[in-house]
Amino acid sequence: MPTGGVTAKLAIHGGDPVRTEPLPLEFPGIHHMGREEEDAVLAVLRARSPFRFYGIDLRREAAAFEREFAAFIGVNHAVGVSSGTGALHVALGALGVGPGQEVIVPAYSWVSIIAAVVNRGAIPVIADIDQSFCLDPADVARRITPRTAGIVLVHMSGAPGNAPALLNLARERNLFLVEDCAQCAGGSIDGRKTGSFGDMAIFSFQMNKNMTSGEGGCVVTNDLNLYRRAVACHDLGYPRNDEGRMMFDLPDLQLWGMGYRLDELRAAVLRVQLSKLPRIVDAMRQSKRRIRAAVESFSSVTLRTLIDPAGDTGCFLLTTYQDNLTALKVRDALRAEGIRTSPQGVSNIVMTDWGLHLYYNNLSLLKRASIDSNGFPWSHPENAASAPNYAKGLCPFADSLFERSILIAIPSCLTPQDEDDIILAFRKILTALEAGSL
């Protein structure tokens, strides 16, 4: 733990920086990739069977991954898919989302969540967040209308949102709850894994995620019918039996497929990554816990509320300041001290620079863009009663947090020295801030 240097001249004022080497890029699962993933992929290639349902020497990696992932999350069923976006489309398709419905989504999320709702023909309704940076259950309740079909809770930036409260609200109002766990694989609330609370949950295994195969995703549920619908939606429109054969004799499960199947190559990588996920998450959680403990003693900083600190996956540190100008000064000072990544990485940013994660930066949403010439879904007669607002100012608490908060990635490979450097930089800068010399 660094003990000196907190009164040293700030680098932004001409002093020596804490460090000169960039911090590691985020990419949690990537930092733990090794020979095990190579061997898993080579085994599939040598079997010449990269397709999940048949091959020359089928290894059934996708089916094994689904069983193992469902067991890890603590649910009955899992459907591996080709991306997190695909998982959203499959989940909403399985739930029957379509025109005439509204789906409540958070002000802080990712463009894919809103896109999935729009592409199903429904209307996204944006709800505010609270100090957890996830959905505010009270604001969600205020946004419910007779057209509301469900809620998408996004466990953003690695820490769980208030799933128990939102589940209670969903049950009281006869709504579905989907958990988006794209950034929170391995998270939990009171020992219960994120992804096990809602009617369905989705995961992403894209490059930036806690476990990764470059691209990939998964849909999980405890409901057998929703599982069968998800299988049908992600495939050719029909569920499959245990042998992988399509089932044509279930009238309620004759749908239209979307072609989001997971292949054997990525499934093999994901099985290895899943076995490493606990230690990936533990590495980030421990690094973040140490940095957070050092920062929280300063009165000039507010830290993100953690629903369950033990269940935080630790991949991002969010700090909030009194105003936008202060946040900008702290960010610039941290960068001057060397708390930054290579130009490829996005870290140590004021959240107003966080692009399509913020609802009011989504230009397609603001102009109600359509993929056809008729303005679907906004112009659909079934959606005529919906008149949503998407302009900045819709979610005042989120708007304020975005302007005053700094996001720093916590890579899964930080060394004790890296942690020391981040802590020392914060101490130097926050000491100066509170002394009025920043």
Side-chain angles (χ1 to χ4, degrees):
M1 173 71 69
T3 57
V6 294
T7 59
K9 189 176 183 179
L10 297 180
I12 202 167
H13 294 158
D16 293 330
V18 169
R19 62 183 291 136
T20 56
E21 292 295 318
L23 288 165
L25 293 166
E26 50 176 300
F27 308 144
I30 290 294
H31 290 302
H32 290 253
M33 273 192 172
R35 181 64 178 269
E36 301 90 347
E37 285 87 352
E38 294 177 24
D39 291 343
V41 168
L42 286 173
V44 173
L45 291 176
R46 287 167 179 152
R48 295 179 293 165
S49 301
F51 181 65
R52 70 165 296 172
F53 290 123
Y54 48 81
I56 291 175
D57 181 17
L58 185 59
R59 295 176 55 83
R60 302 193 182 279
E61 296 284 351
F65 169 70
E66 290 168 342
R67 290 193 302 271
E68 292 161 4
F69 194 71
F72 177 81
I73 300 301
V75 295
N76 293 331
H77 309 290
V79 183
V81 294
S82 55
S83 68
T85 298
L88 286 162
H89 285 249
V90 168
L92 295 183
L95 288 161
V97 171
Q101 297 181 338
E102 295 174 353
V103 178
I104 297 174
V105 301
Y108 179 41
S109 61
W110 180 237
V111 60
S112 298
I113 293 100
I114 298 171
V117 174
V118 170
N119 281 321
R120 291 297 307 170
I123 300 298
V125 172
I126 309 296
D128 215 336
I129 60 176
D130 56 25
Q131 192 63 45
S132 73
F133 284 78
C134 298
L135 274 176
D136 176 1
D139 195 64
V140 170
R142 288 190 286 269
R143 311 274 178 175
I144 295 171
T145 74
R147 296 171 297 283
T148 305
I151 303 162
V152 179
L153 165 60
V154 186
H155 300 292
M156 278 301 292
S157 298
N162 197 341
L166 288 164
L167 180 61
N168 288 339
L169 177 61
R171 294 294 175 262
E172 289 170 3
R173 305 298 288 271
N174 195 30
L175 308 174
F176 67 71
L177 176 65
V178 170
E179 294 177 77
D180 183 321
C181 307
Q183 295 186 348
C184 203
S188 61
I189 302 172
D190 296 330
R192 182 174 171 182
K193 288 288 196 300
T194 52
S196 67
F197 290 86
D199 297 279
M200 306 190 84
I202 73 95
F203 293 81
S204 171
F205 307 125
Q206 184 264 348
M207 177 83 165
N208 294 24
K209 304 306 187 288
N210 293 352
M211 55 179 282
T212 184
S213 52
E215 278 282 13
C218 198
V219 181
V220 303
T221 183
N222 279 314
D223 186 294
L224 177 60
N225 189 59
L226 286 176
Y227 164 69
R228 286 176 169 171
R229 286 180 62 87
V231 171
C233 288
H234 103 293
D235 192 8
L236 298 174
Y238 302 90
R240 292 183 184 256
N241 60 25
D242 292 341
E243 287 72 44
R245 300 293 183 183
M246 281 185 284
M247 302 164 66
F248 299 107
D249 58 346
L250 301 171
D252 293 336
L253 292 169
Q254 295 166 359
L255 309 173
W256 293 106
M258 303 177 190
Y260 288 122
R261 291 182 298 264
L262 179 68
D263 60 82
E264 292 283 279
L265 290 165
R266 281 182 284 186
V269 171
L270 289 172
R271 293 185 69 194
V272 176
Q273 285 270 294
L274 178 59
S275 71
K276 298 178 178 182
L277 182 59
R279 70 174 183 265
I280 293 171
V281 167
D282 186 63
M284 295 187 294
R285 185 186 293 135
Q286 295 301 327
S287 292
K288 178 179 173 179
R289 184 175 293 165
R290 184 167 177 241
I291 297 165
R292 185 179 162 105
V295 171
E296 65 185 357
S297 62
F298 289 89
S299 60
S300 56
V301 179
T302 300
L303 292 168
R304 172 190 198 171
T305 296
L306 298 176
I307 302 297
D308 178 2
D312 176 17
T313 69
C315 50
F316 290 98
L317 174 71
L318 298 174
T319 57
T320 303
Y321 304 86
Q322 66 177 1
D323 54 36
N324 177 247
L325 180 59
T326 303
L328 291 169
K329 286 181 177 180
V330 172
R331 177 204 63 187
D332 291 345
L334 284 168
R335 288 181 176 180
E337 297 293 345
I339 307 307
R340 60 195 309 161
T341 59
S342 68
Q344 180 187 355
V346 180
S347 186
N348 189 10
I349 59 167
V350 173
M351 291 184 67
T352 46
D353 291 331
W354 206 209
L356 291 173
H357 289 95
L358 315 188
Y359 73 99
Y360 57 70
N361 284 340
N362 190 331
L363 299 180
S364 297
L365 182 66
L366 294 179
K367 71 176 185 178
R368 292 168 172 74
S370 175
I371 58 172
D372 68 19
S373 60
N374 297 317
F376 180 85
W378 318 101
S379 63
H380 195 288
E382 292 290 330
N383 291 329
S386 295
N389 172 26
Y390 301 123
K392 185 177 180 180
L394 171 66
C395 297
F397 194 77
D399 296 347
S400 176
L401 282 180
F402 297 154
E403 292 177 352
R404 298 183 294 117
S405 299
I406 293 173
L407 178 146
I408 295 179
I410 304 295
S412 60
C413 61
L414 288 184
T415 66
Q417 185 61 57
D418 292 331
E419 296 167 5
D420 286 349
D421 290 345
I422 295 170
I423 290 169
L424 180 55
F426 264 115
R427 284 181 166 170
K428 284 178 66 177
I429 293 160
L430 297 178
T431 297
L433 173 64
E434 295 184 2
S437 56
L438 179 60

